[in-house]
Amino acid sequence: MQIQVNGEALEVQESTTLADLTEQLQLTGKRIAIELNLEIIPRSEHAATRLSSGDRVEIVHAIGGG
Amino acid sequence: MSELEHNDPLVIAGQTFRSRLLVGTGKYKDMAETGAAIEASGAEIVTMAVRRTNLGQNPDEPNLLDVISPERYTLLPNTAGCYTADDAVRTCRLARELLDGHDLVKLEVLGDQKTLYPNIVETVKAAETLVKDGFKVMVYTNDDPIVAKRLEEIGCVAVMPLGSLIGSGLGIQNPHNIRLILEEAQVPILVDAGIGTPSEAAMAMEMGCAGVLVNSAIAGAQNPVLMAQAMQKAVQAGREAHLAVRMPRKAYASASSPLEGVINN
C-alpha cells in the first residue's frame, strides 16, 4: 500500500506499524517525533499503531535554529 | 560564579537560570562549532528548530540533540518558519513529543520572508491555543507595548520583543519602546533579534531587560567562540550595571579630583 512520508509517496507492506516504518527508514533509536494524519503519536504507541493506505506521516527531528 | 550572579537568577515559569544570555543554534558551520560556541556562551537556555527528517540520506548524520544534550541544556524549540498560528501550534506539539513532554517553547509566527517581522494577529491566536494546551510560551513579538502586555495577559511566561529585524545585527532600533514595555511588564522581557554586538546586548540589560537571545551575532562573527564569550561578559556586565543603577546625567562638568590643595597662584 502507499502512504505519504514527509510529503513523499512511500510503498509499505500491509499492516506496517509506525515502529516498522521507522526501522525501514533506519531511524530506530533516533531522536524523532511522528505525526500521523495531523495527530501526534507518542513514542510509546509506535509499535501498536498500524498504518492504512493513504496515511500521511510526518517525521521530524531537531536542527539548529535561533 | 560570583556572589551577585548566584543571588540574581533569571526566573522563567518558576525555573531558575544563572545565565541571562540565551543562544540559538542556527547558521553555524558545523556541529563542532555549534557545540563550542554554545559552551563558551555559558548559556543554559538554547533554541532549536524542528524540521522534517531527510529520509534515506545520511542516517548517521550527527543530530543536534547529540551535541546540545537535553540533559545539560534547557532546550527551547522555536516555531521559526511558521507563518500561521496552526503551523506554529503543530510545530510546538511535535517539539513536545520530540523532547519527551518538555513544554517550554519559543513562539514566533512570521509575517513575510523579507522582514521576518512577527505577524501579531497569528501570534496572539497561537499563544492563546498553546497556553490552553499547557505550554509555557516565550513569545517573539514586535516592540509594541500594547501587544507585549496583551501577550502577557494571555499567559505567556516571557515576552521577547525584537531589537531590530531577525539576523540584521542592527541593534536596538527603538529603545524607548523597549523601556515602555519594561515599565508595564510583570513577566521577564528579553530582547530577541537584532543584537549585533556585545555592547548592544549590554544596552538591553542596562535598560532592565531580563535577558537577551542571540544567534546571528555569534554564529556570524569571524570567531564565533570568542564572540560567544564576549556576549556572556556583556550580558553579565549589563545586568550588574542595571542593578547598580547608573549615575545621573549632568549638563556640565563635575571634577573627579578635589579642588582643595591645587598648586596655583
Side-chain angles (χ1 to χ4, degrees), chain B residues 169-188:
Chain B
L170 290 174
I172 300 174
Q173 285 296 303
N174 196 342
H176 306 289
N177 272 28
I178 302 292
R179 276 199 192 93
L180 290 175
I181 291 172
L182 286 166
E183 273 176 28
E184 300 302 322
Q186 301 293 318
V187 294

Side-chain angles (χ1 to χ4, degrees), chain B residues 2 20 49 67-68 71 97 106 144 148 152 154 162 182-183 186 197 206 208 219 237 245 260:
Chain B
S2 71
R20 291 174 178 273
V67 180
I68 307 298
E71 288 76 43
E97 163 64 11
K106 172 184 163 182
D144 179 335
E152 177 188 310
I154 288 170
L162 50 72
L182 286 166
E183 273 176 28
Q186 301 293 318
T197 63
E206 282 183 33
V245 185
E260 205 183 303

Side-chain angles (χ1 to χ4, degrees), chain A residues 5-7 25-27 30-35 38 40-43 46 58-66, chain B residues 24-26 47-53 55 59 63-66 70 78 90 93-94 97-98 100 106 108 215:
Chain A
V5 182
N6 290 358
L25 296 170
Q26 294 180 281
L27 293 171
K30 302 277 181 198
R31 296 186 203 239
I32 53 168
I34 301 185
E35 193 192 71
L38 300 178
I40 305 287
I41 308 296
R43 209 158 305 158
H46 288 184
E58 291 287 342
I59 304 178
V60 301
H61 68 301
I63 65 155
Chain B
T25 51
T47 67
M48 50 158 262
V50 176
R51 289 291 179 272
R52 279 176 165 173
T53 301
L55 304 176
N63 188 304
L64 180 74
L65 300 184
D66 297 332
N78 68 26
R90 202 175 154 196
R93 288 179 178 149
L94 279 164
E97 163 64 11
L98 186 61
D100 304 315
K106 172 184 163 182
E108 52 179 308
N215 187 347

Side-chain angles (χ1 to χ4, degrees), chain A residues 4-15:
Chain A
Q4 292 270 327
V5 182
N6 290 358
E8 287 172 35
L10 188 75
E11 200 62 42
V12 294
Q13 288 184 349
E14 294 291 328
S15 77

